[in-house]
Structures are given as structure tokens and as C-alpha cells.
Amino acid sequence: MNIIDELTWRGAINQMTDEAGLRKLTEEKKISLYCGVDPTGDSMHIGHLIPFMMLKRFAAAGHHPVVLIGGGTGAIGDPSGRKTERQLQTMEKVQANAAKLRAQFAHLFGEEDRITFVNNADWLSKIDVLTFLRDYGKLFSVNVMLAKDVVASRLDAGISFTEFTYQILQSMDFEHLFSTYHVQLQIGGADQWGNITAGTDTIRKIHGSTAEAYGLTIPLMLKADGTKFGKTAGGAVWLDPEKTSPFEFYQFWLNQDDADVVKYLKYFTFLGQEEINALAEAVQKEPEKRAAQRRLAEEVTVFVHSKEALAEAQRITEALFHGSIEELSERELLQAFGNMPTVEVSATEKDVVNWLVDAGIYTSKRQAREDVAHGAVTINGVKVKQAEEIVYPHKNSHGKFVVVRKGKKKYTLAKIKQ
């Protein structure tokens, strides 16, 4: 199957500058293509995954991906999708973020001989203002730039000259990669269409109207209910395990709605049509088994983290489902309960009723005593049977935590002051 046909089946294409030309090009030879990300933060989130998984799909088809980290453009700020000016970061912060993003990409793509990493600071920082205005500024019509959605949407609120020139800088990137690395295709989100087409136009103005340069964008990712994909009550779902633990990451995918899960299997996994179609059928016939959600969660967690991280996330999930958390490690306890209600306590080794009240988990000893008597309280995964039982830290927490459960699902993590 041609790579364009596969992407179309997966619903992963929003617009192409020349579908017939790109299809012909990818059938005739192996091409180089790129996607860029600005280091405005020190981690990507799952919204970034889609275009870079596109690069991975092209790589699987024998094409060569180039990842551009915007050490130069990140110092300026892309106005796309924003209503106000971006707060500029220090160059030190931009460089530190760029290093972290490169490490994430290296993890996702594996062997570095299968991918080229570039940083546009390497060429943009060497261009003086007169060269910029004479060699590049002359190629751009202000009228055309004003008509681009990314700029037009900001005119009422106002846009600085700095952000206004962003599309010129991105066009310079495409032209530089076209000339230096023979890159013929740029991929980006739907909001990058104006910047991408500015790049293909620039290449043709410099290299002639027959220059083969193409652009492809992915659709804006929305859930079935029309809301934005990738957000949770706690904020964005990050690829950095220190920001979003592998357990939380796994749970995000596991809890996707039946109406969305097949679309996400096509977007976010490398499973083939036959298996995805079988999972789609399972969603219709046996939705209660959530086979598609489990497969989705497994595939994306392994891709972003590792098989070991998946096993850990599944172990925590199983322990929470059955309430059997007594064997979890300190690391697993933090993943499972780090974002749940937390209290600080000065000590343990006190009878459970007094300890629960002193910790603020209960407001009255009477209610605590009643719940204990009815078997509604567990400490560190073990049901409390008598009000006189003594509370100790979880055996694997090195004296740091006590995990309390009230009823079936209401957990509290008590952190012991050291």
C-alpha cells in the first residue's frame, strides 16, 4: 500500500499541497521529509505525537525522517493557535528545552542512523538583518502574509513584527533543508498550513517553479463530543514520565470512550488494518470487555515509554482494581497515588481511629470507629478489623507513606514527615 493510501485510511491527512504529485513522488523514490517542534517547553505532550508518528510511518515505508528542533524559531514564538503574544524565554532556557526534546525524540525513534536531527539555530543565528531583508524579505508579500489564517486571526488583538515574521523563518527552514538535506516534504498540524505553503512558495521562488516541494497537514484532533483531545483534569498528558507517570499515561488511553478508540488506534498505533478492524468489531459486539482500549493503552505506552513501564502500569492497575496494594513498590505507590488526595502526618504507630482523625482523614472518632467496624477502611491494602489496630507505614515505602482507602475507591496518601 502506498504511504499516502495508508495515511488516508488512518484518517491522518487534513490537507496536501499536491496529492497527485506527492503520491507519484513517494511511489517513484524514497524521500526525505521533516517536521519541526519549537522548544517552548521541556517535554512534548501527546498532541505532538501525531505528526511525529507520521514521520515514523514514512520511515517504516523506507523514507528518511528529519526532526527539526526550533532553537531559533523557539526564541521568537509561533503565533499559530494563540490569541496573545507569547512570553519570550531566555536563550539558556530555549537551549535546555531543546536538549530535552532531542532526548525524547531519540527514545521514540531509536537508532539515530535512521533519523536526522537538526536545530534551526545553527543557520538562522548566522543570518544578519540585511541578508534577511534582502534575500528573504523581498520574497514575501505583506498582503499575502496578512491573509494567512495564522496572522489574520491576530489582527484585531494585535501581533508584533517579531511573531509576524515567524512564517518567513519557517519558510527559510524548509528551503535550507531542501537545499542541504534534499528534504521535499514538510508535515505539520492543521494550524501550520499557512507556514508550510509559505515554505513551498519560497522554495519555488528560489529554485524555480518546477522544484518538487510538498506540504501535508494532519487534522485537528477532537474527541467525539467535539472537545479538544489530550487534556485531563490535571492538564496536558506529557511524554516525560516525570510530568505524567507511565501509570497515568496508561490510564489515559485505557479510559478512552468507545466512540473514539478506533480512531485513536489508527492515529496512535502501528497496528495493521486487519487487527484494527477486528478491534472495531469487538467495540460493537463486546464493549464491556474494552479490548480495544487495552490494546491502545498497551501499544502507546510501550512506544512512548517501554515494555517495562507498561508492565509496571498494568501491575498498579491490577492492584488498584482488586485493592491489593500491599506488594507495590515505593515507586509504584507514588505513580498510583501521587495525584490523589494527600495529607502530611508527623508519625504513625498509633491506633487507627486516633490516627485517622489526627491525619484529618476523618473529622470524628465516632465515624472512624463505625467505618472500621463495618470493614470500610483499609490501611496499606489490608482491611482494618479492630479500632485498636496500630497504623504502620507501607512496608515497601521505606517509612514514607501510609495508603488509606475509605469504601471501595476513595484513597488518601499520607506522607510521613521525615
Side-chain angles (χ1 to χ4, degrees):
M1 181 187 295
N2 178 275
I3 183 66
I4 303 301
D5 291 327
E6 180 185 352
L7 296 176
T8 300
W9 173 76
R10 290 183 181 274
I13 297 177
N14 183 51
Q15 289 177 285
M16 287 181 279
T17 54
D18 176 4
E19 179 178 353
L22 182 57
R23 182 183 295 276
K24 183 173 183 291
L25 182 70
T26 54
E27 288 174 347
E28 291 178 346
K29 69 174 187 175
K30 302 305 180 185
I31 67 168
S32 291
L33 67 155
Y34 94 99
C35 186
V37 60
D38 282 341
T40 52
D42 59 4
S43 173
M44 293 185 290
H45 53 72
I46 57 174
H48 291 117
L49 266 184
I50 310 170
F52 292 103
M53 290 190 85
M54 295 269 276
L55 290 189
K56 189 92 171 177
R57 296 189 201 286
F58 271 92
H63 305 285
H64 186 78
V66 174
V67 170
L68 183 150
I69 297 175
T73 46
I76 300 302
D78 185 354
S80 300
R82 298 183 62 84
K83 296 180 180 179
T84 58
E85 288 286 315
R86 189 183 297 275
Q87 182 68 39
L88 296 180
Q89 301 185 90
T90 65
M91 289 306 298
E92 292 76 14
K93 180 62 174 173
V94 171
Q95 291 167 3
N97 289 345
K100 290 188 176 181
L101 293 187
R102 171 160 181 161
Q104 283 189 338
F105 281 119
H107 172 74
L108 290 175
F109 281 87
E111 305 88 354
E112 291 200 19
D113 60 344
R114 298 179 58 193
I115 182 172
T116 298
F117 289 102
V118 294
N119 187 322
N120 62 15
D122 293 343
W123 57 86
L124 293 180
S125 63
K126 296 175 182 177
I127 298 175
D128 62 75
V129 66
L130 292 179
T131 301
F132 171 77
L133 293 173
R134 288 177 61 86
D135 291 355
Y136 296 97
K138 274 291 187 180
L139 302 177
F140 288 80
S141 162
V142 171
N143 291 0
V144 172
M145 292 176 70
L146 288 172
K148 300 280 187 182
D149 288 343
V150 65
V151 173
S153 63
R154 287 280 298 278
L155 291 180
D156 288 341
I159 184 171
S160 69
F161 178 74
T162 298
E163 292 196 7
F164 179 66
T165 60
Y166 186 93
Q167 62 182 280
I168 300 180
L169 297 182
Q170 188 165 322
S171 299
M172 292 165 65
D173 287 343
F174 197 175
E175 192 280 325
H176 176 85
L177 295 178
F178 179 88
S179 301
T180 309
Y181 295 93
H182 309 293
V183 169
Q184 293 180 273
L185 172 64
Q186 182 182 359
I187 289 174
D191 61 351
Q192 293 297 310
W193 180 251
N195 292 332
I196 291 174
T197 54
T200 56
D201 290 344
T202 300
I203 288 170
R204 293 189 180 101
K205 287 176 182 177
I206 294 175
H207 297 276
S209 60
T210 59
E212 290 191 280
Y214 302 87
L216 183 156
T217 61
I218 61 173
L220 176 66
M221 181 62 75
L222 297 174
K223 295 190 287 188
D225 61 7
T227 59
K228 192 171 182 179
F229 165 80
K231 297 287 187 179
T232 68
V237 180
W238 300 98
L239 306 192
D240 184 341
E242 298 301 317
K243 292 177 176 287
T244 299
S245 73
F247 166 70
E248 295 171 295
F249 189 85
Y250 176 78
Q251 286 292 318
F252 171 81
W253 298 103
L254 193 63
N255 290 315
Q256 292 304 315
D257 192 272
D258 288 346
D260 293 312
V261 67
V262 175
K263 176 172 68 175
Y264 297 161
L265 283 166
K266 291 180 178 180
Y267 268 78
F268 293 104
T269 78
F270 297 95
L271 301 179
Q273 287 194 28
E274 185 176 345
E275 185 171 356
I276 290 178
N277 289 339
L279 289 167
E281 186 175 351
V283 171
Q284 296 298 319
K285 293 183 177 179
E286 299 176 307
E288 70 284 354
K289 292 186 176 180
R290 299 185 70 75
Q293 282 86 347
R294 284 201 307 275
R295 196 75 176 93
L296 173 67
E298 290 166 1
E299 286 292 308
V300 188
T301 303
V302 169
F303 176 65
V304 172
H305 295 295
S306 65
K307 290 181 179 179
E308 293 76 17
L310 170 63
E312 190 174 59
Q314 291 174 323
R315 172 178 157 85
I316 297 170
T317 300
E318 182 70 11
L320 288 176
F321 182 78
H322 293 291
S324 54
I325 66 166
E326 59 267 30
E327 298 302 325
L328 294 181
S329 67
E330 180 182 341
R331 171 186 164 85
E332 291 168 339
L333 288 169
L334 277 174
Q335 285 197 61
F337 303 107
N339 288 328
M340 291 188 181
T342 303
V343 297
E344 279 200 351
V345 296
S346 57
T348 55
E349 300 188 19
K350 185 183 297 184
D351 71 86
V352 65
V353 170
N354 281 300
W355 185 87
L356 288 168
V357 173
D358 291 347
I361 296 171
Y362 280 86
T363 57
S364 77
K365 293 182 181 180
R366 179 188 62 79
Q367 187 62 54
R369 193 174 290 109
E370 285 184 7
D371 281 3
V372 168
H374 289 100
V377 176
T378 66
I379 301 291
N380 300 323
V382 179
K383 184 178 292 186
V384 179
K385 297 178 180 179
Q386 296 180 359
E388 294 77 20
E389 289 188 29
I390 302 301
V391 176
Y392 295 99
H394 189 285
K395 66 180 182 180
N396 294 333
S397 74
H398 300 94
K400 296 178 182 178
F401 309 128
V402 178
V403 182
V404 181
R405 190 183 77 185
K406 294 164 60 177
K408 292 185 176 181
K409 294 183 178 180
K410 191 173 183 180
Y411 282 95
T412 300
L413 178 67
K415 295 183 178 180
I416 302 169
K417 297 178 183 177
Q418 301 296 304

